[in-house]
Amino acid sequence: MTRANSDKVRETSDSLLSAKAYRTLTDLVYEHSRIRLGPDKQTLLANRLRKRLQALELGSYDEYCEMLQASSGTTEVEELVDLISTNHTRFYREPEHFSFLSRRALPALTPKLNVAGAPLRLWTTASSSGEEAYTLAITVAEFALAYPRLQWEVIATDISRKMLAEAGAGIYPLDSVKPVPPELLKRYFQKGVGSRTGVCRVKPELRKRVHFERVNLFQPHYPVPAKLHVIFCRNVMIYFDLPSRATVVRRLTQHLAPGGFLVIGHSESLLGIPHGLQPVQHGVYQKP
């Protein structure tokens, strides 16, 4: 980096994210992800973007906006959305949903699938760093011990390529796997040794059951099977406005097989959204 560029980058930390630039950025984020950033997020966005501007050797947020609006800015918009996305997750988050899966959903779905010789397919639409996807996989794997002929897979998608890369690796600090029961931790994880002490990795036989792919819930087509049996879309729609939530629910419902289940977060609701699904328990709906 030249001295001039270095000075220019340092100036970025002192420059302000103007109201005009903030509107441009939030409009782009909304257009590509339907995530609506309110006026209280301006400082947060400026802080998260500062290192990105430095990496691109840009001297101001206005220059960044100009680059995003250029025809070559599509990939950078993905980077922007990635930077502002909230990736909070953990193993067995909202555990009631996994209990419902093992006690009610899977027993109801499996006999028919076994007779038909069809695979069980589950989709987590916002897998983040993978904890939810692997919790789903563990839940099904445990259930399938009694149904060795059951074919199954977990499809895990996210809007963030960075998170998908972490999820695919399946490597986690030991502290983050504490919610996993000890017997399941032993069965499905390998503890690191030597330089890997302090971390563990999901075993290959479980990782191969989970397929990660980037999906924006507002892209024209979803690269997932047409008829899915369980869809987890938890703690995602809280970031969307009502019309966007309605769009997502309609499209996810179209991808559910009859009798399939849609699971949303405890803090979310389908109130005010036409969906045609039957409520089963808090956060769980079934397609007739």
Side-chain angles (χ1 to χ4, degrees), residues 4 105 109 113 209 218 248 287:
L109 293 166
L113 292 173
R209 295 280 192 173
F218 297 94
V248 169
K287 185 173 183 177

Side-chain angles (χ1 to χ4, degrees), residues 34-250:
R34 295 301 190 274
I35 297 172
R36 177 64 76 188
L37 297 176
D40 59 325
K41 302 297 183 182
Q42 188 163 336
T43 300
L44 172 68
L45 182 58
N47 290 337
R48 290 193 178 183
L49 280 177
R50 187 167 290 120
K51 288 185 179 180
R52 185 61 184 162
L53 266 63
Q54 292 173 351
L56 295 169
E57 300 186 8
L58 297 175
S60 71
Y61 297 103
D62 290 333
E63 287 184 33
Y64 185 64
C65 289
E66 291 173 6
M67 186 191 73
L68 286 168
Q69 291 173 312
S71 58
S72 60
T74 304
T75 302
E76 186 58 36
V77 172
E78 289 186 13
E79 291 283 347
L80 171 63
V81 173
D82 197 344
L83 283 170
I84 61 92
S85 298
T86 301
N87 297 299
H88 175 66
T89 186
R90 63 180 180 273
F91 286 96
Y92 290 94
R93 185 181 185 186
E94 298 179 355
E96 296 85 355
H97 290 155
F98 300 102
S99 295
F100 170 82
L101 191 66
S102 60
R103 294 176 183 175
R104 293 185 59 184
L106 294 180
L109 293 166
T110 298
K112 294 179 182 178
L113 292 173
N114 268 346
V115 169
L120 170 73
R121 292 191 171 103
L122 306 91
W123 178 21
T124 167
T125 64
S127 65
S128 187
S129 46
E131 288 89 338
E132 180 171 281
Y134 291 123
T135 305
L136 280 173
I138 291 170
T139 303
V140 180
E142 284 295 291
F143 178 83
L145 292 175
Y147 295 88
R149 293 193 299 113
L150 179 65
Q151 306 170 54
W152 62 274
E153 66 174 340
V154 174
I155 301 158
T157 65
D158 200 87
I159 198 171
S160 170
R161 296 185 191 277
K162 178 183 177 182
M163 287 294 102
L164 288 170
E166 290 186 18
I171 299 173
Y172 300 96
L174 290 179
D175 283 347
S176 72
V177 297
K178 284 182 178 179
V180 181
E183 66 274 16
L184 300 183
L185 188 64
K186 183 177 181 180
R187 189 173 298 158
Y188 296 108
F189 291 81
Q190 299 169 312
K191 284 190 177 182
V193 297
S195 62
R196 290 289 188 176
T197 299
V199 301
C200 61
R201 188 174 194 182
V202 180
K203 289 184 178 180
E205 52 266 36
L206 191 70
R207 289 205 316 274
K208 71 179 182 181
R209 295 280 192 173
V210 185
H211 308 286
F212 292 97
E213 187 163 355
R214 184 184 184 275
V215 168
N216 181 335
L217 289 174
F218 297 94
Q219 67 189 56
H221 304 287
Y222 296 154
V224 299
K227 299 300 179 184
L228 295 147
H229 305 100
V230 178
I231 298 178
F232 269 49
C233 186
R234 305 191 307 165
N235 307 301
V236 181
M237 292 186 287
I238 53 175
Y239 302 104
F240 303 152
D241 55 22
L242 183 59
S244 300
R245 292 200 298 272
T247 296
V248 169
V249 170
R250 174 179 56 80

